[in-house]
Amino acid sequence: AQSVTQLGSHVSVSEGALVLLRCNYSSSVPPYLFWYVQYPNQGLQLLLKYTSAATLVKGINGFEAEFKKSETSFHLTKPSAHMSDAAEYFCAVRLGNKLIFGTGTLLAVQP
Amino acid sequence: SAVISQKPSRDICQRGTSLTIQCQVDSQVTMMFWYRQQPGQSLTLIATANQGSEATYESGFVIDKFPISRPNLTFSTLTVSNMSPEDSSIYLCSVRAGAPGVTQYFGPGTRLTVL
């Protein structure tokens, strides 16, 4: 079975600081992995995805994530946080035809 | 990519009534999905809806409570029946699109409050 765990339900960073949101997965086969962002009162927007190609995946808004098989991780990073990055971030893994979501991490950006 | 619209965007309903949520996609898609996001929580898959067949429901969700229609490849509806305050959630429509059909896109959601 596949599942995904996000460590840290709340993360707070200062504007301009590094953003690191953690995601670990459990899978018996190479997974498809995704990061989505949900801004307040909006739906989900795809940030990036890993589909067994390059292990370092670049997404929108300056975000990127690295697939590390040895660590079963797919952490999301951004070198410099912006106030507009404040949102909830969801890691997800595809299980057959289903997309299984982590519990989400709420990112706060302090001025 | 796929552009998804949902109607209504939000509603406030009385206990015991039903609400039908519409989902429209700008391209033909085989698989459509309905998710629920309860307040402060993550997304939970309700059911998968394929055109021309019965929807497949996840554990904890039943057709009598959440009937789904899928009349064509661009449209689906989800009805929340006999509502109670516990049904207050965001309901999201989702489709898989693009080659090779890996990426899943989401609609803006329908924010339902049941009094």
Side-chain angles (χ1 to χ4, degrees), chain A residues 65-88:
Chain A
E66 185 172 8
F67 173 71
K68 291 187 176 180
K69 184 178 179 180
S70 61
E71 299 177 7
T72 62
S73 69
F74 190 57
H75 301 333
L76 182 71
T77 60
K78 182 174 180 177
S80 176
H82 191 274
M83 297 296 290
S84 61
D85 294 325
E88 186 148 25

Side-chain angles (χ1 to χ4, degrees), chain A residues 6 32 34 36 38-46 49-51 88 90-91 94 96-104, chain B residues 10 31 33 35 37 40-45 48 58 90 92 94 96 99-109 111:
Chain A
Q6 291 183 243
Y32 289 155
F34 306 83
Y36 287 86
Q38 186 176 35
Y39 297 103
N41 298 314
Q42 295 188 29
L44 270 70
Q45 181 179 3
L46 179 68
K49 62 185 177 185
Y50 169 75
T51 58
E88 186 148 25
F90 293 95
C91 182
R94 181 170 166 180
N97 282 323
K98 304 175 188 178
L99 201 58
I100 308 300
F101 284 86
T103 51
Chain B
R10 60 179 65 240
M31 302 182 75
F33 307 87
Y35 285 80
Q37 186 179 22
Q41 297 192 25
S42 187
L43 283 79
T44 302
L45 180 63
T48 301
E58 297 299 304
I90 301 172
L92 297 107
S94 177
R96 191 166 297 144
V102 171
T103 304
Q104 199 158 324
Y105 299 92
F106 287 81
R111 283 156 181 78

Side-chain angles (χ1 to χ4, degrees), chain B residues 29-59:
Chain B
V29 293
T30 302
M31 302 182 75
M32 296 181 78
F33 307 87
W34 287 98
Y35 285 80
R36 181 176 73 181
Q37 186 179 22
Q38 294 179 299
Q41 297 192 25
S42 187
L43 283 79
T44 302
L45 180 63
I46 298 172
T48 301
N50 293 334
Q51 193 267 337
S53 62
E54 294 289 327
T56 302
Y57 289 82
E58 297 299 304
S59 175

